[in-house]
Amino acid sequence: MTDRAILQKRFIAETDWAGAMVAPLAGDASNRRYLRLTRAATGETAVLMDAPPEKGEDVRPFVRIARYLTDIGLSAPRIFAADQAHGFLILEDLGDALYARVIPLDPGLEMPLYGAATDLLAELHRHSPPIGLATYGPDVMADMAALAFDWYHRGTTGDIGTARPAFHASIKTALKTHADTADVLIQRDYHAENLIWLPDREGVARVGLLDFQDAMLGHRAYDLVSVLQDARRDVPHDIQEAMISRYIAASGADPTAFKTAYHCLGAQRNLRILGVFVRLCLRDGKAHYIDLIPRVWAHLERDLTDPAMAPVAEIIRDTLVPPTPDVLQRLKDQCARNASR
């Protein structure tokens, strides 16, 4: 038994979940692991988060944001027990009804589920964000978007390229001009694999929230981009347009300015994701993320058609290689070679 396993066993034994059966749950792109605890006598369940500090994980932001979200009436998991020093939490089990699983089984729910997710954002944005959040502003966002050059461009061509400084300046200018407001909490990973449908609850509490520990202070359009321009599933265009209009109506945002910000943030987010997915492949050996790149590229291309993004679009189209099947296979081959070293 590893030292980590001993710590985990000791933590559980000191809680109300002592003696519970333990079974693995699907993880995510981080170093966190998730386990389901089940009480044999009653069938009650909870979720154990195992976030090793020695691997750079820190449960404190999760605890802080979870409590903020539940305090304003949203359905983040309640925290039953915590060992923050060693990176263990026992959380309310919100179930397995992820949007990404529920919608394929009942396509008629797609519009209502996305409507509820959009309404949740409008409600969240009516509340003052917690004090002390870092700001996801143009400078930081430009750095994050440049991961497309640091990893995607380098992975597909062999180098970062000379256009990176011009790109960085161009997208920072676009963000400062059209998406410089940072006045709400953004969860940053608000999408169908992190949203759980809870139909027995009321209103926006029907949307269960996961993976929000990286929350920052950002623009109101950011999480709407995240959920509608999903890297993992296709959201129909008519639903995307309906949800943008729904949010604008609920929030009173200026339609023209909001849509421009939406596409500006969409371009930034999708460029960042291109870089992150290639990094996960080449550095961390997670080649399956390469299969998601064509969808991310398609989102990016649509965002770049907004007139406000013309200077950025010109650089991207002149520099980044489209993700053809051959390009994607080369990335996977590099991943395999790295893994064999």
Side-chain angles (χ1 to χ4, degrees):
M1 184 177 290
T2 65
D3 291 345
R4 189 77 192 157
I6 293 170
L7 286 172
Q8 175 189 298
K9 187 174 182 180
R10 184 182 303 156
F11 168 65
I12 296 172
E14 294 173 350
T15 73
D16 292 342
W17 294 86
M21 296 181 291
V22 181
L25 287 170
D28 55 25
S30 72
N31 290 309
R32 295 182 296 273
R33 290 195 314 137
Y34 297 89
L35 304 163
R36 176 164 278 141
L37 308 179
T38 304
R39 288 174 172 150
T42 64
E44 294 173 280
T45 62
V47 171
L48 173 73
M49 179 193 290
D50 176 356
E54 63 273 16
K55 293 185 178 180
E57 297 296 327
D58 184 354
V59 300
R60 291 173 298 178
F62 184 95
V63 170
R64 181 180 177 222
I65 301 303
R67 287 174 175 162
Y68 166 81
L69 294 170
T70 55
D71 284 348
I72 64 173
L74 303 183
S75 292
R78 290 174 293 154
I79 298 165
F80 297 146
D83 178 351
Q84 297 188 36
H86 292 109
F88 293 110
L89 300 176
I90 296 179
L91 308 170
E92 177 185 10
D93 187 355
L94 296 179
D96 297 316
L98 293 169
Y99 272 39
R101 296 177 185 174
V102 171
I103 293 170
L105 295 174
D106 188 353
L109 285 175
E110 190 165 27
M111 184 72 82
L113 263 63
Y114 278 100
T118 301
D119 293 346
L120 184 147
L121 292 179
E123 175 61 25
L124 171 62
H125 297 166
R126 293 186 184 101
H127 296 267
S128 297
I131 296 171
L133 289 178
T135 299
Y136 201 52
D139 290 337
V140 177
M141 286 192 284
D143 290 345
M144 294 297 100
L147 291 174
F149 284 78
D150 300 338
W151 288 95
Y152 180 83
H153 190 273
R154 186 175 67 180
T156 55
T157 68
D159 60 57
I160 292 175
T162 59
R164 187 189 189 278
F167 162 77
H168 189 279
S170 182
I171 197 163
K172 184 164 70 171
T173 296
L175 290 162
K176 283 188 174 181
T177 304
H178 302 291
D180 197 21
T181 305
D183 60 352
V184 297
L185 181 148
I186 57 170
Q187 298 169 69
R188 300 179 61 209
D189 278 314
Y190 190 74
H191 56 72
E193 292 192 0
N194 284 333
L195 301 178
I196 297 178
W197 187 231
L198 304 170
D200 293 337
R201 300 190 184 186
E202 298 292 329
V204 296
R206 294 175 298 168
V207 184
L209 302 173
L210 303 174
D211 202 11
F212 42 73
Q213 61 277 340
D214 294 327
M216 298 180 76
L217 199 65
H219 193 283
R220 293 166 182 262
Y222 190 87
D223 279 347
L224 194 61
V225 170
S226 180
V227 73
L228 298 179
Q229 296 188 17
D230 197 326
R232 294 163 179 81
R233 71 178 306 273
D234 295 320
V235 180
H237 182 72
D238 62 328
I239 290 182
Q240 293 186 45
E241 292 300 313
M243 294 306 116
I244 294 169
S245 297
R246 187 183 184 116
Y247 180 87
I248 289 170
S251 65
D254 175 83
T256 301
F258 186 85
K259 289 177 183 179
T260 298
Y262 177 93
H263 290 297
C264 186
L265 293 164
Q268 182 276 335
R269 178 176 170 81
N270 288 305
L271 286 161
R272 179 184 68 82
I273 291 172
L274 285 177
V276 169
F277 281 177
V278 174
R279 183 175 67 190
L280 285 166
C281 174
L282 300 185
R283 189 191 69 184
D284 302 335
K286 298 178 179 181
H288 61 283
Y289 285 97
I290 298 302
D291 296 328
L292 303 176
I293 284 178
R295 182 180 292 110
V296 176
W297 186 268
H299 293 325
L300 173 62
E301 286 189 315
R302 285 193 292 273
D303 288 319
L304 292 177
T305 63
D306 190 286
M309 299 306 296
V312 175
E314 183 177 0
I315 296 171
I316 295 301
R317 290 168 183 150
D318 288 345
T319 307
L320 296 191
V321 178
T324 63
D326 287 347
V327 167
L328 299 179
Q329 188 58 53
R330 287 203 302 272
L331 290 170
K332 288 185 176 181
D333 291 343
Q334 288 182 64
C335 181
R337 287 195 297 270
N338 292 347
S340 66
R341 291 174 183 169

